[in-house]
Amino acid sequence: DLKHALTGKQILVYYQPQISLKTGKIVAVEALVRWNHPDLGILSPAQFLSTAEKTGLMTKIGEYVLKTACEQIVKWKQQGLPIETVAVNIAGDQIHHGSLVEKVKLTLQHTNCDIDWLELEITEDFIIKKTKQAITTLQQLRDLGISLAIDDFGTGYSSLSYLKQLPVNKLKIDRSFVSDINNDKEDATLVKAIIAMGKSLNLELIAEGVELDSHEVFLCAHGCEFAQGFYYSKPLPAEEIEKLYRDKDKDRRKNIKLISK
Ligand code: C2E
Ligand code: MG
Ligand code: MG
């Protein structure tokens, strides 16, 4: 079924807002893949990405998401939406087999997407496993001028020394630390430590999985700059993201709390 998903236009890209905790505004979105299966309906990445990896289809799917996300941000810019960047997740397979740097360059050209409008997310887990090759590829992407984020930061459990060598701009604090931030002292300590470390390394910080008022309060109090989570919005189809802007004051304040801090 997955083989037919791409040709059958069943692969969809949803977008989840990323909020500036300083202004309360949506500053970016993350592109998240979905599969609209003809019998099973909308499937989440957890339900099909491992199959995509095993069957060698991950690179194709990843390239499709990249192209779609670039086209989308160009459309939003043309419409005047104040979304600065779109973040796209990159799978390990794309770095291994996909001549990623060349593909990214071509995709930007073909879609007319400015290099500043794209950010790539690579999981900490992958970087740790494939340090040498990953660093070379990431360096080439940075040389192009693309912003890079380490996804699921804190879950890879490795020496932090690789952070010094990595040409990254941003850490995404994994949601497993954020969910219990107000009850679990150790999680709270870890998040504070990640924020402090990121800041001293001049990295931007975004917390994932922000679901509660109390999460936001904690993150603001400890100087985390950006947040993403169901508290603001679930991942949505592109048209729904546009609606968030159309409904401006009324809906924003009622349905998704974009509070100025
Ligand atoms: P991720 O990149 O860490 O993306 C964040 C995931 O957390 C998304 O799950 C999102 O829906 C979920 N999330 C966001 N806010 C909250 C929250 O407040 N609470 C909870 N419980 N969850 C929240 P999703 O869309 O199911 O994606 C899961 C993972 O699949 C992603 O994690 C990413 O690693 C991978 N993925 C998604 N799209 C792509 C893609 O196009 N390419 C690649 N290589 N991986 C992708
Ligand atoms: Mg991600
Ligand atoms: Mg993540």
Side-chain angles (χ1 to χ4, degrees):
D1 284 359
L2 197 50
K3 268 191 196 152
H4 297 122
L6 272 172
T7 45
K9 299 202 164 53
Q10 294 164 13
I11 298 295
L12 308 178
V13 182
Y14 279 23
Y15 300 88
Q16 186 177 35
Q18 299 183 339
I19 289 2
S20 158
L21 290 174
K22 289 197 182 120
T23 64
K25 298 265 158 61
I26 301 171
V27 284
V29 291
E30 177 176 4
L32 293 157
V33 71
R34 299 288 181 264
W35 178 10
N36 187 10
H37 188 281
D39 304 323
L40 303 171
I42 303 277
L43 302 181
S44 70
Q47 293 170 288
F48 66 93
L49 284 192
S50 63
T51 306
E53 272 162 21
K54 280 184 216 138
T55 52
L57 293 165
M58 191 61 235
T59 301
K60 279 259 170 307
I61 293 175
E63 286 168 10
Y64 177 79
V65 174
L66 177 67
K67 176 174 154 281
T68 307
C70 288
E71 284 168 353
Q72 190 60 59
I73 188 89
V74 171
K75 272 189 217 155
W76 282 333
K77 296 274 181 186
Q78 285 166 350
Q79 290 170 19
L81 258 58
I83 299 176
E84 289 168 22
T85 51
V86 63
V88 175
N89 293 282
I90 296 295
D93 279 7
Q94 286 173 273
I95 298 187
H96 283 315
H97 316 294
S99 46
L100 182 65
V101 181
E102 206 44 41
K103 288 270 161 59
V104 169
K105 256 200 243 174
L106 286 174
T107 307
L108 290 170
Q109 270 172 20
H110 291 161
T111 58
N112 269 328
C113 179
D114 198 292
I115 210 150
D116 296 337
W117 302 345
L118 178 66
E119 179 175 274
L120 300 180
E121 295 189 4
I122 293 104
T123 60
E124 188 192 32
D125 187 48
F126 173 77
I127 290 166
I128 287 159
K129 282 195 217 135
K130 311 281 173 202
T131 310
K132 217 171 166 193
Q133 191 198 356
I135 289 178
T136 312
T137 306
L138 298 186
Q139 189 61 59
Q140 289 168 344
L141 290 167
R142 274 307 293 144
D143 291 346
L144 277 184
I146 290 185
S147 169
L148 299 173
I150 302 185
D151 207 350
D152 306 342
F153 185 77
T155 57
Y157 192 71
S158 159
S159 145
L160 291 175
S161 62
Y162 76 91
L163 263 187
K164 282 195 305 192
Q165 311 159 34
L166 281 177
V168 296
N169 312 72
K170 190 184 274 186
L171 303 180
K172 297 195 79 180
I173 306 169
D174 191 68
R175 72 166 187 263
S176 59
F177 299 113
V178 176
S179 60
D180 233 6
I181 225 172
N182 300 102
N183 305 314
D184 186 321
K185 259 177 140 180
E186 273 138 24
D187 280 352
T189 307
L190 281 171
V191 170
K192 280 191 263 179
I194 294 173
I195 294 172
M197 184 188 63
K199 280 183 180 288
S200 58
L201 290 169
N202 270 327
L203 299 170
E204 286 183 11
L205 290 145
I206 177 163
E208 298 186 291
V210 176
E211 291 182 349
L212 305 170
D213 211 37
S214 56
H215 292 161
E216 187 187 67
V217 171
F218 181 100
L219 293 163
C220 285
H222 293 96
C224 185
E225 301 157 277
F226 302 101
Q228 178 179 347
F230 296 165
Y231 182 59
Y232 306 101
S233 169
K234 293 198 166 175
L236 299 168
E239 320 79 79
E240 300 286 321
I241 294 284
E242 287 155 29
K243 273 195 208 152
L244 295 182
Y245 286 93
R246 251 183 265 137
D247 298 344
K248 261 205 164 132
D249 292 343
K250 199 179 71 193
D251 271 22
R252 264 200 215 184
R253 290 193 187 144
K254 226 157 83 183
N255 298 324
I256 39 162
K257 276 192 157 177
L258 298 177
I259 330 155
S260 288
K261 289 273 160 193

